[in-house]
Amino acid sequence: MHDARPDPDALIAQLRNDEARALRGKLRIYFGASAGVGKTWAMLSAAQRERAAGRDVLIGVVETHGRSETAALLAGLDTLPLRELAYRGRTLAEFDLDAALLRKPAVLLVDELAHTNAPGSRHAKRWQDVQELLAAGIEVWSALNVQHLESLNGTVGAITGVRVHETVPDTVLDEADEVVLVDVTPDELTARLAAGKVYLPQQAERAAQNFFRKGNLIALREIALRRTAEHVEDDVRGWRVEQSGAAGNGQGGASLQAWNTSGAILACVGPHEGAAQTVRTAARLAGQLNVRWHAAYVETPRLQRLAAAERDRILAVLKLAEELGAATAVLTGADVAEQLSEQARRLNCATLVMGRSEPASGWRRWWPAASVSLPRALAQRAPALDILEVGRADSARRLARTPLNTPRADDDDHEKAPIHWPGYAWATATSVALTLLCTPLASVLELSNIVMLFLLGVVGVAMRFGRGPSALAALLNVAAFDYFFVPPRLSFAVSDVQYVLTFAIMLGVGLLVGQLTAGLRFAAGVSTSRERRARSLFELTRELSAALESTQVVTLGAAAVQGHFGGHALVLVTDAADQLVLPTEPPEGFDAQVADWAFRHSQPAGLATATLAAQPWHYVPLKAPMRVRGVLALSPAQPRWLLIPEQAQQLDTLARQIAIALERVHYVEVAQQAVVEMESERLRNALLGAISHDVRTPLTALIALAESLQTLPPEEHGNAARAIVAQAHELHALVNNLLDMARLESGIAGGAVNLRRDWQSVEEVVGSSIRAARTSLGDAVVQTALAADLPLVEFDAVLIERVLVNLLENATKYGAPPIVVGARAEPGTLVLTVRDHGPGLPAALLGHEQKLFDKFTRGEAESATPGVGLGLAICRAVVSAHGGEITAANARDGGAEFTVTLPRREPPEPAEAQL
């Protein structure tokens, strides 16, 4: 039977998506094939209708380009003043993002979505401003031309011959809630251009000769229509998916099924100039097929030696892929085809998009490697993989170079490695040394053995200095062997043609050993890099697992990030008011406002990001599962590391581990506080319950007895007075217990428990305890069982007397006479016992006798016997202060027995004791 129940994970994801959309503002884009089709006019017309309907409409920025018809639509609409920025001696007017966020209208018009903001602005592009406005819940309307879409940049450039430098990622258009196509025919647009309704006359004439040619307009119109159709198709697909979920819930639409597409796209980023066009094509193809896509760059030992400018271009292409929605990776290996095919299998990619390589020219056409192209090697390794080659687009915009100092993917990058002249010097010296060594041996050794010695020297140079010096050593060794050892000696002439083969083998072996050594070094560097990243993550996780305070997490997290990336690192946490706690002495370049922005918006900012990229620090929000716990600020030793996908992922993983540790510590503190509050509440309730009964009872008796004195005859006043004294003693004992417990608890918690230790006679302390407890004992018989040889023991006589009094009162309340007090000396200890002959300990406490010594614990929970359950707790506190131990157990012949064990040392001599 078919299970029509909806997928719980899909439902949860849909609920989260709906919740995020409910909090996020809506984006409407007026989309056109080119300038002049009427996007701004259509947007302002709709704004006038919304204003007439009573909505709060605000113009953030609108470009009329001198068109009177468009300017007339501004009447009656509130306009936000532009923000002025000074740049190179000029004043530039830009959209005021902060003022718009403060004003927070219902609808905000932000024209020219692809506009590049002036330096010094928070975001580099206006579409990033729009993203922040949407996150603040503001509905934004904007306008966009098709040539400004990043994935179409190369295609449009190839059609029009004009490079467009201001672009918008396709994801902005894809995630728009509404796309309004504003379309006119090419002839009508040409007529509007000629009438001066698009540009001024001088600009219109140049535009008509270049960009606004009819063929260009037709092609751009087709692309715009297709792109709009793709957006509508996405809407239809989303609706079908929702209806499929509704069908699973029994809400209709049973015949609808969610579209199922399988197989992602993998774009190959190479070192050539057309890599950006490959990425754009892959992004457009992924959007059309509605599949996820990835971008990968494979660094080989040869590519490892690329110049810094070429590596900058590769990283810029990877960053472009990330902006277009791809997951990027830098792979390492000597075989590009092997790495790409393995990556495609690992990511379940069905299609591989790669740039078209230039055909070999000249002598390269006859080189064997030229016949084995990368697509053919991929086809051999992965026959089921679809391979798509992308043509070049010379008119596409060039990606801006990042100002950062970017390393290689092996984490130890620098500028193009200089020639290591010492290695070549050692290669030359090794060849000379082998020649000098073998010269006297020429008459002893065969030439084949001398060849082995020379080959051994090549291997040694290769292992120590790498490929270049080993090649030089191979050439020098071949020349030395030919000149000094092959007949005729001291001449490069060869008498036997077989030696030519020997020379070729020597040279080939030397070059091969050098190549293999270079590959081993490359693989070792890659392994070291990966091991370093894994070790730093493991060490941080291990250290954080033992952290119990947020200060420990802050210290460990900052040390781990700084140890991996170098430079300086700060971990900023929040206070009780959920405000970011900033350092009292911020380091150089640290900007508290940028850190606060990253915390409040939960987005990275600063160095190597799209927000305030001119900052020297990189700010990462510490996102925990429940909330943002702070900000990780980093000023790395190599800023370009932040552009490498593996390093960016490492930083994100470290930040996430720190955030999780902070959240764990926070909830541990919350749990501890809750336990303390629960325990405090329990003790308060127990204290109030005990006092309400055991204090109110003697007070009530005292009041009644005092009032009865007025009516009782004189001969009864003595009995009443004795009763009043008994009740007063009972209340006094209760209050003393409470005060003693408070004093002892404060001492145990860190206060001072003043023990007045002195050498005491145990017999005297036992006797004084029985006399002190006589009021509570009444007529109960008390017996003593004291050893005859009891020595003097050093303790606080007053407190130990209090322990014995409490034990005697406890035996009177819950036991039966006779009560036996015993004492004996054992090696190193004094043992005091108090036992009765009653029913013994309650059955519920057998095996848990130590609970008797907890505060507010009574032998019988429901009993008319007075007491608040502090007597035994005081006993344990006093005995513990003396370093001893108190226990309770049932006696063999009935009754309960309490045993106090105190440490003791040998008493001093009588003369010493007297002193």
Side-chain angles (χ1 to χ4, degrees), residues 26-27 80 91 174 230 300-301 357 361 397 409 478 486 492 526 559 606 612 614 632 646 677 681 794 877 898 914:
K26 293 184 177 181
L27 175 61
L80 190 70
T91 301
D174 296 335
E230 292 174 8
T300 62
S357 58
S361 58
R397 73 177 181 95
V478 169
V486 175
F492 288 107
V526 172
L612 299 171
L632 170 62
E646 281 72 14
E677 292 178 356
E681 184 69 15
E794 189 180 22
F898 290 83
Q914 186 177 4

Side-chain angles (χ1 to χ4, degrees), residues 504-793:
I505 292 176
M506 288 180 63
L507 183 60
V509 169
L511 296 177
L512 179 61
V513 169
Q515 182 69 22
L516 292 176
T517 303
L520 289 175
R521 283 188 166 188
F522 176 75
V526 172
S527 300
T528 302
S529 168
R530 292 174 178 171
E531 189 272 339
R532 178 171 175 266
R533 293 198 299 267
R535 185 178 67 252
S536 63
L537 182 59
F538 167 75
E539 291 177 351
L540 176 62
T541 304
R542 181 187 61 190
E543 297 295 335
L544 291 180
S545 63
L548 298 177
E549 297 180 356
S550 58
T551 54
Q552 293 177 304
V553 176
V554 168
T555 303
L556 293 172
V561 174
Q562 187 169 324
H564 184 82
F565 290 92
H568 301 281
L570 294 175
V571 176
L572 310 177
V573 297
T574 57
D575 55 15
D578 200 25
Q579 298 295 324
L580 200 63
V581 179
L582 301 174
T584 54
E585 296 181 359
E588 182 181 358
F590 177 84
D591 195 323
Q593 294 182 349
V594 182
D596 186 67
W597 187 93
F599 170 71
R600 288 186 292 105
H601 292 81
S602 188
Q603 294 179 6
L607 183 69
T609 67
T611 302
L612 299 171
Q615 293 289 327
W617 284 69
H618 182 76
Y619 303 87
V620 182
L622 298 176
K623 298 180 182 178
M626 298 301 297
R627 55 183 298 181
V628 178
R629 293 292 170 183
V631 171
L632 170 62
L634 171 64
S635 177
Q638 295 289 341
R640 291 186 181 180
W641 283 14
L642 300 176
L643 297 179
I644 300 177
E646 281 72 14
Q647 294 299 333
Q649 294 171 5
Q650 179 77 0
L651 180 60
D652 182 70
T653 304
L654 293 174
R656 188 169 294 275
Q657 290 297 321
I658 297 172
I660 292 174
L662 286 173
E663 186 159 277
R664 176 182 59 81
V665 169
H666 168 74
Y667 283 114
V668 167
E669 294 175 353
V670 170
Q672 291 177 343
Q673 184 65 26
V675 171
V676 171
E677 292 178 356
M678 291 171 61
E679 183 66 17
S680 300
E681 184 69 15
R682 187 187 70 81
L683 292 177
R684 186 181 69 86
N685 293 336
L687 179 60
L688 291 177
I691 291 177
S692 65
H693 177 270
D694 294 292
V695 173
R696 187 166 52 188
T697 299
L699 285 176
T700 303
L702 286 172
I703 294 173
L705 290 171
E707 290 177 348
S708 67
L709 288 175
Q710 301 175 1
T711 59
L712 288 175
E715 59 272 13
E716 296 293 334
H717 285 184
N719 295 331
R722 285 189 292 273
I724 291 175
V725 171
Q727 293 295 331
H729 276 293
E730 185 178 334
L731 184 59
H732 180 265
L734 177 62
V735 173
N736 278 344
N737 279 341
L738 291 173
L739 294 177
D740 289 346
M741 193 69 240
R743 182 169 66 89
L744 292 171
E745 283 292 317
S746 64
I748 293 172
V753 178
N754 295 322
L755 295 179
R756 297 183 179 180
R757 295 177 181 268
D758 200 357
W759 294 99
Q760 305 291 343
S761 170
V762 179
E763 295 89 341
E764 293 180 2
V765 173
V766 171
S768 62
S769 301
I770 296 173
R771 289 191 297 271
R774 177 50 61 186
T775 303
S776 301
L777 292 173
D779 298 332
V781 177
V782 178
Q783 301 175 355
T784 58
L786 305 179
D789 56 347
L790 284 175
L792 296 178
V793 181

Side-chain angles (χ1 to χ4, degrees), residues 413-493:
D413 193 27
H414 43 272
E415 293 299 320
K416 189 170 183 178
I419 298 176
H420 296 287
W421 295 113
Y424 292 94
W426 274 101
T428 304
T430 301
S431 180
V432 173
L434 287 172
T435 302
L436 295 176
L437 176 66
C438 294
T439 299
L441 301 176
S443 59
V444 180
L445 299 178
E446 296 288 339
L447 291 182
S448 58
N449 294 326
I450 295 177
V451 169
M452 293 298 104
L453 292 177
F454 276 111
L455 287 179
L456 181 62
V458 173
V459 172
V461 171
M463 294 297 295
R464 179 63 180 85
F465 300 104
R467 176 168 40 198
S470 69
L472 176 62
L475 290 173
L476 293 178
N477 287 351
V478 169
F481 179 72
D482 181 19
Y483 189 79
F484 291 101
F485 300 99
V486 175
R489 300 178 64 181
L490 303 179
S491 171
F492 288 107

